[in-house]
Amino acid sequence: MDAIFIRELHVQALIGVYPKERESRQTLVLDLELGANIGPAAACDRLDDTLDYATVARRIDQFAAASDFQLVETLAERIAELLLREFNVPWLRLRLCKPGAIAGARDAGVLIERGTR
């Protein structure tokens, strides 16, 4: 299976458990791999025959901006569900990072895989 990927997509979301975290949106960073068959698009060189990663990125950004979760686990799971449903991908790997979540660490977050590879 081929994969289309997006690295270090920055999105804004209301996320966090503690009251201070809930005062404003925070920047989260997302890495994504989406299972895809790129053969048809490569053969005809047409965007309509592949997974448009710009459209995927915009949809994730819209969803994150409208979200209001406490846990990155929940946001990651909801993004995965959305991508599987709306873009009909068979498999995905999603890494969602919350920069500055832990003092002394660049970031913390979750890595999930959903679907069948």
Side-chain angles (χ1 to χ4, degrees):
M1 177 180 299
D2 305 320
I4 291 175
F5 66 89
I6 299 171
R7 295 283 180 253
E8 295 187 25
L9 176 65
H10 292 240
V11 298
Q12 298 291 312
L14 188 59
I15 194 93
V17 174
Y18 303 108
K20 183 76 173 160
E21 294 178 300
R22 312 288 303 163
E23 292 176 1
S24 61
R25 299 201 173 279
Q26 298 178 56
T27 300
L28 303 175
V29 182
L30 188 136
D31 291 336
L32 183 65
E33 294 178 29
L34 301 162
N37 177 4
I38 66 167
C44 66
D45 198 29
R46 289 174 19 104
L47 181 60
D48 291 343
D49 293 324
T50 191
L51 185 58
D52 182 350
Y53 48 77
T55 300
V56 170
R58 278 192 303 273
R59 184 64 180 106
I60 293 168
D61 188 55
Q62 291 168 350
F63 183 81
S67 70
D68 182 1
F69 299 112
Q70 292 187 33
L71 302 176
V72 293
E73 290 86 345
T74 307
L75 179 58
E77 186 66 36
R78 296 304 181 274
I79 291 172
E81 290 168 357
L82 174 142
L83 295 172
L84 291 168
R85 182 180 66 250
E86 292 187 14
F87 294 93
N88 197 31
V89 295
W91 169 85
L92 65 82
R93 175 182 293 137
L94 186 151
R95 181 177 180 259
L96 184 60
C97 302
K98 187 174 178 183
I102 299 173
R106 185 177 78 194
D107 57 26
V110 296
L111 173 64
I112 64 172
E113 290 188 35
R114 298 293 180 266
T116 304
R117 195 168 216 195

